[in-house]
Amino acid sequence: MNTEGGGLVLVVEHDPAVAELQRRYLAREGFDVEIEADPGRAPAAAERGRPDVVVLDLSVSALPADLYRRVAEAARPAPVIAVTGPLDPALARALGEHHVDRPFSPRVLVGAVADALRGDPAEAPGPLRAGAVALDPEGRVAVIGDRRVTLTVTEFDLLEFLMANPGRVFTREQLLDAAWGPGAGAGSRTVDVHVAQLRAKLGEGNPIRTVRGVGYVLDR
């Protein structure tokens, strides 16, 4: 196991883009990250690498039914965070206390990894509110008044970040890092486009304000 920094995280993820996004967010928080793209090789990777935490994607169809058990045994005593679709209660109990529903915010995953390292159950982030806007990070649901708003993954991540930091002004570059990940390659104009889309969807209750010459802030 890694005894320096945040610890070693083994990410078992078949989608290279998703794996890279997870790597960037975890590395930014001080974790070392090893990526295994083939779920079938996950038990061997866990046994060989001795990670502090394993993030295991179980959303792929036709996976062996005992994969989670085999990875957990190979990684023991390291906890395994299962990335899944919505779980029924029985399956949730079978997978243990650490799991993340897909799609998820990278920040939710980072929090789950940190909780797993502390030995605490991963707590679901509480609802966020700003005026008439309510956001459920766990369920990935946005509501304004009594109307549910359909957001893209990036729009949701951008709004979640702003709502989690009300009253703080962020530059476009900071928002790019937060919603797209460091080094994602998107330009600052991308932030302006997504903010405009968010404002259009939120309507009159939109709490995002432009700070001229700087960036954006979510009004308290």
Side-chain angles (χ1 to χ4, degrees):
M1 290 189 179
N2 182 13
T3 57
E4 299 180 358
L8 175 62
V9 182
L10 172 62
V11 172
V12 182
E13 171 58 57
H14 71 287
D15 187 324
V18 174
E20 176 61 15
L21 184 63
Q22 293 181 35
R23 185 196 66 75
R24 286 175 177 171
Y25 270 82
L26 289 166
R28 189 169 64 179
E29 296 301 319
F31 295 103
D32 293 325
V33 182
E34 178 182 336
I35 296 174
E36 174 55 64
D38 184 354
R41 294 201 293 260
E47 188 170 1
R48 178 182 66 252
R50 306 308 304 160
D52 295 284
V53 182
V54 178
V55 177
L56 176 62
D57 176 23
L58 292 179
S59 66
V60 183
S61 60
L63 286 177
D66 64 344
L67 180 62
Y68 180 87
R69 177 185 59 78
R70 288 166 50 211
V71 172
E73 289 177 354
R76 188 174 291 127
V80 178
I81 299 173
V83 177
T84 71
L87 298 177
D88 63 66
L91 182 56
R93 287 193 297 270
L95 289 177
E97 61 190 15
H98 299 296
H99 64 266
V100 175
D101 290 348
R102 195 171 189 151
F104 57 87
S105 162
R107 289 180 294 281
V108 170
L109 179 65
V110 170
V113 169
D115 286 338
L117 279 173
R118 287 196 298 267
D120 300 331
E123 295 183 2
L128 300 171
R129 296 186 180 276
V133 181
L135 207 66
D136 175 9
E138 183 185 20
R140 305 283 292 181
V141 174
V143 176
I144 182 162
D146 58 358
R147 174 174 61 90
R148 183 165 175 165
V149 182
T150 301
L151 302 178
T152 66
V153 172
T154 303
E155 289 169 352
F156 190 98
D157 289 347
L158 181 59
L159 182 58
E160 179 190 357
F161 181 75
L162 287 167
M163 290 183 67
N165 299 277
R168 181 177 171 185
V169 179
F170 292 97
T171 66
R172 290 168 176 81
E173 289 72 23
Q174 289 173 320
L175 293 175
L176 277 171
D177 282 353
W180 283 265
S188 60
R189 175 61 180 159
T190 303
V191 176
D192 295 334
V193 171
H194 280 76
V195 168
Q197 292 171 345
L198 273 173
R199 285 171 165 164
K201 290 181 178 181
L202 297 178
E204 294 182 359
N206 159 60
I208 303 172
R209 179 168 54 86
T210 301
V211 179
R212 193 169 182 177
V214 182
Y216 297 98
V217 61
L218 187 127
D219 285 332
R220 294 182 182 276

